[in-house]
Amino acid sequence: MAPPGSNVSDSTGATVDRKRILIVDDHPFMRAGLAQLIDKQPGMMVCGEAGDPAAAMKELEKGKVDLVLTDITMPGRSGIEFIKDLQAMYPKLPILVISMHDEVIYAERVLRAGARGYIMKEAGGENLLAALRRVLEGEVYVSPKMSARFLDNMSGRKPRGSTSPIEKLTDREFEVFQLIGQGKSTRDIAKQLNLSSKTVDVHRGHIKEKLGLQDVTALVRHAVRWVETQSFEGLGE
């Protein structure tokens, strides 16, 4: 992490304002790698780190932050709800999501929640720095692939590339689906999402219908398999 102070001098001796970035990720090695990359940039510095949404909120109370760089799969509150909380409390604070998960499934969801960009961890350091600069300049960042999909959607054409039935789920249904895949019971899901058990059952029904599944057993099997696949994809991160 960069030493205290938000200004440095460039090669001409002029003072450069360094944008202060808070990193939120539950993997210490990932935070360290991101911090090392960012702190080498003359116009950026890491002002704090957090391993979960609760710790991130405490870091934000300590002082000025110009951007939050966050993962969306962490202990505690869901990533989508975390973004919504940030937007409610700090509406002008830009958020860039960096994740191992498929942008086709997550990018549009995080943008709807209030994030200003989505980049996959596999995109590499140069693309991440480009995304950070764009979001800090007030623009939105998604990959060229996702830009093409959004334009196709707007024009009414079929999106390019692979599609997944999971894209049909609403944000709340998607949260329920993920928790089912983690082995949570209806009661546990209801408690975690502050819903009634009846509401969770309604969401289950909608999920089964949208995914073309016959019964709860098939839904649980499908959800567990999907969560395991997502976890497997992240083992190399």
Side-chain angles (χ1 to χ4, degrees):
M1 190 181 301
S6 59
N7 296 320
V8 294
S9 296
D10 64 14
S11 58
T12 66
T15 299
V16 178
D17 179 46
R18 301 184 72 181
K19 298 298 184 181
R20 299 168 62 84
I21 298 171
L22 172 65
I23 298 175
V24 188
D25 193 295
D26 62 334
H27 294 96
F29 285 135
M30 176 58 66
R31 295 199 305 270
L34 291 172
Q36 184 177 33
L37 175 68
I38 292 168
D39 281 337
K40 289 180 180 178
Q41 307 309 307
M44 306 178 195
M45 64 176 284
V46 174
C47 63
E49 299 178 13
D52 57 62
M57 289 300 188
K58 292 181 180 178
E59 286 293 323
L60 285 165
E61 294 173 359
K62 293 181 180 179
K64 179 186 176 184
V65 174
D66 294 302
L67 180 146
V68 173
L69 177 63
T70 182
D71 197 354
I72 51 171
T73 49
M74 296 174 289
R77 196 156 180 76
S78 80
I80 300 295
E81 292 303 311
F82 173 49
I83 293 170
K84 291 178 180 178
D85 288 346
L86 284 177
Q87 281 296 285
M89 297 180 68
Y90 305 95
K92 295 183 179 180
L93 177 64
I95 303 163
L96 174 62
V97 171
I98 178 169
S99 175
M100 67 182 183
H101 296 302
D102 189 350
E103 60 188 355
V104 172
I105 303 295
Y106 284 88
E108 187 174 355
R109 296 182 191 279
V110 302
L111 293 179
R112 282 202 308 261
R116 298 291 294 172
Y118 187 97
I119 185 169
M120 295 182 66
K121 290 179 178 178
E122 66 185 34
E126 288 304 314
N127 286 325
L128 172 60
L129 292 174
L132 284 168
R133 293 188 186 102
R134 186 173 300 181
V135 173
L136 284 168
E137 289 169 359
E139 300 179 19
V140 173
Y141 178 89
V142 292
S143 71
K145 172 184 175 182
M146 288 308 301
S147 292
R149 287 179 65 88
F150 290 154
L151 289 173
D152 284 344
N153 284 333
M154 290 175 63
S155 66
R157 290 185 297 180
K158 185 177 180 180
R160 306 174 194 184
S162 61
T163 59
S164 167
I166 294 172
E167 292 180 61
K168 301 176 184 177
L169 303 181
T170 67
D171 291 342
R172 182 61 86 189
E173 289 166 355
F174 185 54
E175 285 183 307
V176 172
F177 178 75
Q178 288 179 296
L179 292 172
I180 291 172
Q182 294 170 17
K184 303 284 188 181
S185 67
T186 296
R187 183 176 179 180
D188 291 337
I189 295 172
K191 182 177 181 181
Q192 183 165 336
L193 300 181
N194 294 316
L195 302 172
S196 68
S197 295
K198 183 177 180 180
T199 300
V200 173
D201 285 336
V202 170
H203 285 312
R204 280 178 181 265
H206 291 161
I207 295 168
K208 283 191 298 179
E209 181 180 348
K210 290 181 179 181
L211 300 186
L213 302 171
Q214 296 299 315
D215 51 37
V216 173
T217 300
L219 170 58
V220 172
R221 187 182 302 117
H222 187 74
V224 169
R225 196 159 51 229
W226 189 84
V227 168
E228 288 176 346
T229 299
Q230 296 296 300
S231 299
F232 177 76
E233 289 177 352
L235 289 178
E237 300 299 334

